[in-house]
Amino acid sequence: MNSSGGSCSSLMDVVTYDPHHHGHDEELHVLAVDDNLIDRKLVERLLKISSCKVTTAENAIRALEYLGLGDQNQHIDALTCNVMKVNLIITDYCMPGMTGFELLKKVKESSNLKGVPVVIMSSENIPTRINKCLASGAQMFMQKPLKLADVEKLKCHLMNCRS
Amino acid sequence: MNTTVVAQLQRQFQDYIVSLYQQGFLDNQFSELRKLQDEGTPDFVSEVVSLFFDDCSKLIDTMSRSLERPDNVDFKQVDSGVHQLKGSSSSVGARRVKNVCISFKECCHVQNREGCLRCLQQVDYEYKMLKTKLQDLFNLEQQILQAGGTIPQVDIN
């Protein structure tokens, strides 16, 4: 999914199942969650430059639905999980409704998804907040605004974890 | 390609963008944004800043309505708007806009309606000013490209 034109509308990106890329080991599939449109655009571009496949969500509820943890019946959940395997979730902390921290906890509580690394982003550098996230299983905390160097660091870190 | 014309335009571009940084309109995050643009995505920066300016306009409208009636200000609403604006401006390197947002947030916290109104006016002024400046910058870029040249990489640090 290379075109970014029009993909950052208020709807979540739809990923089409490509059998040639199913289980493609080199390319990381990242789910990026942020309620701010500009930040979504930025993180998407940063990740694409770093050769990641990117799906964006504008809030935690949509993210959970995408991950198959939403209020859907089990059949759909299983199907979603198999088709759109996510290797990393990167989420903003401050979001209306469910926060990134709450999203983190839901992911870590799920038997299917607890192995997926979750990175929390925030514009505010609050040590108690950072520690709380790390203590609840966040892989990393990243300070906004994100720069290219941050994502490169993140990717290296994750690739090492995978091998 | 007229190399003299291209060189002149490139020089103009360089001087202009440096002045924008020196005058505090932009900060380092804008150069970070520029790094993300390449031949495959030549409009990335202008697209993102365009979204940013649209966002500014919408948020300012909403906040203005929340601040309208002195007896009934929803400071939570206003604070939420400022938070969005502060985040976006920070992400695109719109330094002056971001700095107004910092003061704006303070006014929200202490529920100072007058202060909020002043900040609102200032943020409106700053984003419009930046919009004009960046339009001029993008026009210079287009002129360079049309003259067959390439856009210089400008190192601010």
Side-chain angles (χ1 to χ4, degrees), chain A residues 123-134:
Chain A
S123 51
E124 290 156 308
N125 190 345
I126 301 172
T128 47
R129 173 182 291 183
I130 298 171
N131 291 332
K132 181 176 77 167
C133 291
L134 295 174

Side-chain angles (χ1 to χ4, degrees), chain A residues 59-70 98 103 106-107:
Chain A
N59 60 53
I61 304 291
R62 300 260 181 124
L64 287 174
E65 283 168 6
Y66 183 82
L67 293 166
L69 295 179
M98 191 183 289
L103 173 61
K106 290 253 188 239
V107 169

Side-chain angles (χ1 to χ4, degrees), chain B residues 39-55:
Chain B
E39 303 82 49
T41 55
D43 302 316
F44 176 71
V45 178
S46 59
E47 276 174 9
V48 174
V49 302
S50 177
L51 284 174
F52 169 64
F53 293 134
D54 285 346
D55 210 32

Side-chain angles (χ1 to χ4, degrees), chain B residues 10-59:
Chain B
Q10 286 173 328
R11 190 53 198 271
Q12 240 185 301
F13 174 84
Q14 194 136 350
D15 290 344
Y16 193 61
I17 196 173
V18 167
S19 76
L20 292 180
Y21 284 101
Q22 286 177 340
Q23 290 167 55
F25 286 102
L26 299 171
D27 64 30
N28 187 57
Q29 184 64 16
F30 187 76
S31 3
E32 289 292 330
L33 263 194
R34 293 190 74 222
K35 286 183 194 169
L36 305 183
Q37 186 163 287
D38 58 24
E39 303 82 49
T41 55
D43 302 316
F44 176 71
V45 178
S46 59
E47 276 174 9
V48 174
V49 302
S50 177
L51 284 174
F52 169 64
F53 293 134
D54 285 346
D55 210 32
C56 285
S57 171
K58 264 182 266 167
L59 288 170

